[in-house]
Amino acid sequence: MVALRFLRALSLVRCSGPGARSPSYRARGIRRAAYACMAASAGPRRAWSRALLRKIRRRPGRGLRRPRAVIRRRRPVGGGDPLEVALRRLVPGGGCMEYCRLLEEAADYVKCLAMQVRLMQTIVDSASHVNSID
Amino acid sequence: MSGRGRRITDEEINELISKLQSMLPESRRRNAGRVSASKLLKETCSYIKSLHREVDGLSDRLAGLMDTMDSNSPQAEIVRGLLRS
């Protein structure tokens, strides 16, 4: 399902002004689509996917923002271990969760990231192969 | 959800550490036994960073490929069909 979702998202990136946008702008759109599709496919059951979708939808200049309750944000867990702190920064939403939960979320995040990379590599390989046909 | 009142057992932590270890490519290759928690965290962090870099690189490549698709060549039509399906 993540493959279909991502392919559809790619076709939308292409249609949003092929001549008018720079390649780097398009690359940023593709990158955002990759993370959004990955998170949407994981669904709301995972803290990392929820955090990633919140972050993507919170982009500046996306229109009117409704005022949100500030209380929702929990205090980040203070860590003594710099490696644990680093992992909390890398896993979306990892700042506020218990250590045990962090490990679980990190494992799922790694699995989904690796799948996304394989998917994108497959698309690049297919498209490159097609482009090189004479 | 945060489970503040519940103590996490060592067994549960070990299980999670094994699960995380099984996701990492190096650990799988070497068929390693248990590694220390700090080594595992370090490997996980560097693996996640490398995956992020790969996503960035592949996004750039896809953007470049999509540029070539704006032409009217038969190849472009095939790739457009791929994205439409």
Side-chain angles (χ1 to χ4, degrees):
Chain A
M1 272 312 115
V2 63
L4 282 176
R5 208 189 282 263
F6 183 57
L7 285 172
R8 273 194 211 112
L10 273 188
S11 64
L12 287 173
V13 171
R14 187 179 78 78
C15 293
S16 63
R21 301 291 190 183
S22 67
S24 61
Y25 179 89
R26 211 179 295 179
R28 279 202 304 276
I30 291 171
R31 189 173 160 272
R32 200 163 34 240
Y35 284 112
C37 293
M38 191 177 102
S41 298
R45 62 187 173 90
R46 284 292 173 193
W48 69 259
S49 57
R50 292 194 301 269
L52 203 47
L53 285 172
R54 268 199 307 270
K55 187 176 163 191
I56 290 168
R57 287 167 185 165
R58 215 166 43 209
R59 273 166 57 219
R62 274 193 71 115
L64 293 173
R65 257 182 260 157
R66 282 172 295 169
R68 302 183 128 220
V70 179
I71 317 154
R72 235 185 255 180
R73 187 155 180 81
R74 287 189 288 174
R75 256 186 322 196
V77 175
D81 182 6
L83 285 173
E84 185 187 323
V85 169
L87 186 62
R88 287 184 184 280
R89 284 207 187 109
L90 286 169
V91 175
C96 300
M97 53 180 74
E98 276 183 325
Y99 184 64
C100 210
R101 185 76 190 273
L102 175 69
L103 295 181
E104 209 181 323
E105 290 284 321
D108 196 65
Y109 183 56
V110 159
K111 184 184 79 180
C112 294
L113 254 183
M115 254 191 327
Q116 182 67 32
V117 162
R118 276 200 298 276
L119 167 64
M120 290 171 82
Q121 187 65 61
T122 305
I123 296 173
V124 163
D125 290 345
S126 309
S128 306
H129 177 68
V130 165
N131 274 347
S132 65
I133 290 172
D134 285 327
Chain B
M1 202 60 139
S2 68
R4 272 197 199 126
R6 186 176 151 267
R7 293 289 307 265
I8 308 294
T9 62
D10 285 346
E11 205 178 300
E12 282 171 321
I13 295 242
N14 287 340
E15 212 175 292
L16 287 169
I17 286 181
S18 297
K19 188 176 168 188
L20 186 54
Q21 191 180 339
S22 68
M23 296 291 160
L24 304 180
E26 279 204 28
S27 299
R28 273 200 303 262
R29 263 205 304 274
R30 277 181 304 183
N31 203 15
R34 277 288 307 280
V35 298
S36 71
S38 62
K39 188 146 198 268
L40 179 73
L41 286 182
K42 207 169 169 182
E43 271 190 46
T44 307
C45 288
S46 54
Y47 188 44
I48 292 178
K49 281 184 207 161
S50 79
L51 286 171
H52 285 167
R53 280 195 297 268
E54 284 200 63
V55 170
D56 288 347
L58 287 164
S59 302
D60 286 338
R61 286 186 66 187
L62 271 173
L65 283 166
M66 283 161 85
D67 270 342
T68 67
M69 274 164 38
D70 291 337
S71 69
N72 287 324
S73 63
Q75 290 87 343
E77 192 48 49
I78 294 171
V79 183
R80 275 195 284 266
L82 182 76
L83 292 183
R84 267 200 301 264
S85 59

